[in-house]
Amino acid sequence: MKRSNNRRAAANHSRTIVFLAAPGTQILDVAGPFQVFVRAAELFVKEHPARKSPYRVLLASTTRHRSVQTNCGLVLTGSETFRSLRGPIDTLLVAGGSGLENAASDKELVVWLRKSAQRVHRIGSICTGAFLLGSAGLLDGKRAGTHWKWAAELAEKFKRTTVDPDPIYIRDGNSYTTAGVTAGMDLALALVEEDLGAPMALKVARELVLYLRRAGGQSQFSAALSLQASDRKQIEEIRSWAVDNVTQDLPVEKLVAKAGMSPRNFARVFLKDTGTTPARFVDRARGSSAAPAGGITRQTREGCERLRFWLDSVPAPVVSSCSPCSSQRLPASVRRHERQLAGNQRGDYR
């Protein structure tokens, strides 16, 4: 009830969402999540023309210039610099990029960030934006994430922060940190869901042709992406086949037969090429494919909202194939994995 009341209150006023960007920022760290909030506001106003837009989305530069040159050469022109921002900020997100080291040395900026953190409802970072939050002491005593490539450096630089290199995004209190790039859009969808509810987040994801929504605890290293890790065509084909057939029973013996290799040689080569065992790879593939269903079917009021909206928005044959009756015909190993997934990631779909 409390969350519903918060959403009704949020719907009656505009939340100011500020993206703080330094020269050399990663353009997707800004443009992707920025567009999620903008599209959510557009859809909300279309459905509720008598109400105010739920979001006012701004880009603020860390310098004295409103324009920010991104690391791909394109220039983003915002309406503010951090010095010119006025009024309450609901959510402040620091975008990642190559210019953050210089930004972190700007004492005026760091002091402003530290003071702003005391006033905002939510504060966070996208990708290496975590380094600027860390420089302001805003990650001390907290669990945080960043792009896997920079996780070790973040942990080394900020000893009082517990850095987890695996999750797509992490929430610790009112602080949010993400793996960056497309993970910034996952975080933005999660925040839209907090503010406006699951149905609206689903609509935004559909409009932007996004995968709704990767749970915060999901690994940065998906099973599908890991298919590209092997140079051995035989192993690559087996893993591709396994991902396409995750609803079947997939004992190692079946993979061995498909590969046409001896069991011992197959296990040795698979582990050497991929860094994991065949059984663990299959579990990860099932986890990646089952995660959305786990989120949609939670037996909570919001889970029911998700389910009702989802049933209204997909073709009947798809609904039929995902019905409880059809799920009972799945192999026991798949049903067992789905039960484990539901237990392990229950909190990720709130």
Side-chain angles (χ1 to χ4, degrees):
M1 180 64 70
K2 184 177 179 181
R3 294 186 70 180
S4 296
N5 290 338
N6 288 342
R7 283 176 188 147
R8 282 196 289 269
N12 293 322
H13 76 279
S14 293
R15 297 173 178 263
T16 298
I17 313 293
V18 174
F19 286 84
L20 185 66
T25 193
Q26 161 65 253
I27 192 169
L28 288 180
D29 285 358
V30 176
F34 196 105
Q35 185 61 42
V36 169
F37 288 113
V38 169
R39 187 57 56 88
E42 292 172 349
L43 291 174
F44 183 89
V45 171
K46 185 176 181 180
E47 290 184 6
H48 309 282
R51 296 187 184 181
K52 293 182 179 179
S53 171
Y55 294 124
R56 174 173 172 253
V57 193
L58 304 174
L59 173 64
S61 166
T62 61
T63 69
R64 296 183 181 277
H65 307 286
R66 290 185 302 158
S67 296
V68 178
Q69 183 163 341
T70 66
N71 61 0
C72 69
L74 296 179
V75 176
L76 300 176
T77 301
S79 57
E80 306 286 347
T81 72
F82 79 92
R83 296 176 178 86
S84 66
L85 282 168
R86 298 290 183 272
I89 298 173
D90 179 88
T91 304
L92 176 59
L93 298 172
V94 181
S98 58
L100 285 172
E101 188 171 350
N102 289 335
S105 65
D106 184 335
K107 292 183 180 180
E108 183 183 359
L109 173 64
V110 171
V111 169
W112 175 86
L113 189 59
R114 193 176 296 131
K115 289 181 178 179
S116 296
Q118 299 173 9
R119 300 190 295 266
V120 301
H121 175 57
R122 300 179 295 215
I123 189 165
S125 62
I126 301 162
C127 198
T128 54
F131 283 85
L132 188 53
L133 293 185
S135 297
L138 301 178
L139 297 182
D140 289 356
K142 295 193 174 185
R143 181 169 168 257
T146 187
H147 191 284
W148 60 266
K149 187 176 180 180
W150 306 106
E153 184 176 335
L154 185 69
E156 177 65 25
K157 190 166 185 177
F158 303 106
K159 304 288 189 182
R160 298 182 63 186
T161 302
T162 301
V163 178
D164 189 338
D166 196 46
I168 289 173
Y169 65 84
I170 293 172
R171 175 182 180 180
D172 189 333
N174 74 331
S175 297
Y176 300 75
T177 49
T178 82
V181 197
T182 57
M185 300 178 77
D186 292 298
L187 174 60
L189 280 172
L191 297 180
V192 167
E193 184 173 339
E194 279 187 17
D195 300 339
L196 305 177
M200 179 57 71
L202 277 162
K203 290 175 184 177
V204 174
R206 290 179 61 209
E207 287 272 333
L208 300 180
V209 197
L210 293 173
Y211 178 95
L212 186 88
R213 84 169 156 78
R214 296 186 295 178
Q218 186 171 328
S219 173
Q220 296 185 38
F221 305 96
S222 69
L225 188 61
S226 71
L227 287 172
Q228 302 173 29
S230 177
D231 293 330
R232 197 180 302 262
K233 185 178 180 180
Q234 196 173 15
I235 297 299
E236 182 180 336
E237 289 177 350
I238 286 297
R239 292 191 297 167
S240 181
W241 179 83
V243 169
D244 290 340
N245 293 275
V246 290
T247 58
Q248 298 184 25
D249 272 323
L250 295 175
V252 175
E253 294 78 11
K254 193 168 188 176
L255 301 181
V256 168
K258 186 78 175 174
M261 301 168 67
S262 69
R264 183 174 180 179
N265 189 44
F266 176 75
R268 180 184 62 80
V269 171
F270 197 99
L271 180 60
K272 180 180 178 182
D273 280 18
T274 68
T276 190
T277 66
R280 287 176 182 169
F281 175 81
V282 170
D283 278 346
R284 286 179 58 195
R286 284 180 175 148
S288 295
S289 68
I296 291 172
T297 59
R298 283 193 63 213
Q299 296 304 310
T300 61
R301 187 168 57 80
E302 285 188 16
C304 291
E305 288 178 2
R306 282 198 188 97
L307 180 58
R308 283 196 298 271
F309 184 84
W310 184 77
L311 290 173
D312 289 341
S313 63
V314 298
V318 176
V319 176
S320 178
S321 69
C322 295
S323 68
C325 292
S326 65
S327 69
Q328 295 304 313
R329 294 195 294 269
L330 291 173
S333 61
V334 178
R335 298 199 303 271
R336 182 173 62 252
H337 181 80
E338 288 176 340
R339 288 195 297 271
Q340 293 171 347
L341 184 75
N344 292 339
Q345 297 188 340
R346 186 175 300 276
D348 293 335
Y349 291 95
R350 291 178 179 172

